[in-house]
Amino acid sequence: MDVEARHLRALVAIADHGTHTAAAAALRLSQPTLTRTVRQLEYMYSLRLVEAGTARLTTHGEALVKRARRVLAELAAIDRDLTAQGSVRFGFAWLLPDEWFREVRTAMAAMGITVELRRLDDPLAALVAGDVDVALHRNPLLQAPDGITSRAIAAERRVLAISSHDPALADSSPLLWDALPQRPLIVNTISGSTTADSLPDLDGGRHIVECRNFDEWIELVAAGAGIGVVPDVSARRIQHPDIRYLPIADAPPVQVGLAWRSTPTPPRATRQFLDASLTFRQPGKGSERT
């Protein structure tokens, strides 16, 4: 008996879902069928891949899951390449760069490729999980996950977001990066562009207020829970009656990046999307990380 995709899918499902019941449901199989499929795989190699009576992978099982993910991703890429009408699943958390998406979508439409927009709190996690083909990110990708490549497509100026009722607005002095108002810093920990480590550590005493998405972030700023620092695209396109945006004269720019799975080779439609995206990117705004 040869290894089949169903064997690999069964093992990966157990790794992803943590129980045989949940894994079987995800694959739309009965639990006995799932168990039998994994046992067939174990029999082929004469190895225990899942600990008896549990859903915990053995060392051999964990090693095989890593390879199985790559094989299944390659099979999925082949399947999509053979599809007559191509599509790209594009994940983002908030606000696409000015003009960029319009240009790229127009180029894709001319090639008969559909771009499926998916608004997600954590696009990078969705990319790793295989739920999207390309993810836009503004938070620094200092160490890309295995098989993930990232490249900058734009740089955006940072601005301060502050409650319009904050008395600090009475000070008309220009804002500087190392002299922002002494207020708590509101940080979107999942997809934000400015983290607690981004600001100069003048005294180490600035309080951090954490949230998990852009909607939470903007409402916390509006409520006066603290200040926020965001790309100026927010000031141009997101207006809130209780928020003022102020320029920061010397703030370092935010690097906007695209991330994609480069191993295995992406489907043809994804490669064409990336070619168009990088063609329209602002020149000199970033380098590749693998």
Side-chain angles (χ1 to χ4, degrees), residues 68-212:
R69 291 189 193 279
R70 293 195 291 269
V71 170
L72 293 174
E74 186 66 48
L75 289 174
I78 291 172
D79 179 70
R80 297 188 67 193
D81 271 351
L82 296 176
T83 301
Q85 179 65 34
S87 65
V88 177
R89 301 165 299 172
F90 178 53
F92 72 106
W94 49 277
L95 295 184
L96 300 178
D98 289 343
E99 300 182 2
W100 171 82
F101 182 66
R102 175 176 56 80
E103 296 282 358
V104 172
R105 183 180 179 278
T106 299
M108 293 297 94
M111 291 184 275
I113 296 173
T114 301
V115 181
E116 301 176 13
L117 282 180
R118 301 196 179 181
R119 214 295 303 166
L120 304 160
D121 286 344
D122 195 342
L124 289 174
L127 176 66
V128 171
D131 296 329
V132 298
D133 302 304
V134 183
L136 182 137
H137 63 93
R138 287 184 173 90
N139 48 344
L141 194 58
L142 300 179
Q143 184 173 0
D146 290 344
I148 301 297
T149 292
S150 175
R151 183 176 293 177
I153 60 168
E156 298 171 327
R157 294 179 179 177
R158 281 184 166 100
V159 296
L160 179 75
I162 188 170
S163 167
S164 57
H165 306 287
D166 194 306
L169 292 175
D171 185 354
S172 60
S173 303
L175 287 175
L176 298 177
W177 186 238
D178 60 357
L180 297 179
Q182 284 300 317
R183 303 287 189 274
L185 177 67
I186 302 173
V187 173
N188 173 356
T189 60
I190 302 299
S191 60
S193 58
T194 301
T195 66
D197 295 334
S198 301
L199 295 183
D201 186 13
L202 301 181
D203 56 14
R206 188 184 294 271
H207 180 62
I208 304 300
V209 178
E210 295 185 348
C211 60
R212 295 176 58 83

Side-chain angles (χ1 to χ4, degrees), residues 269-283:
T270 300
R271 299 196 302 270
Q272 290 172 317
F273 177 88
L274 291 169
D275 288 344
S277 298
L278 299 178
T279 297
F280 289 113
R281 76 188 182 99
Q282 296 180 19

Side-chain angles (χ1 to χ4, degrees), residues 225-259:
I227 60 172
V229 179
V230 285
D232 59 356
V233 65
S234 302
R236 293 193 301 273
R237 289 160 54 185
I238 302 293
Q239 297 300 313
H240 193 294
D242 292 322
I243 289 181
R244 286 273 303 280
Y245 297 98
L246 303 174
I248 308 171
D250 58 345
V254 171
Q255 295 293 324
V256 184
L258 291 184

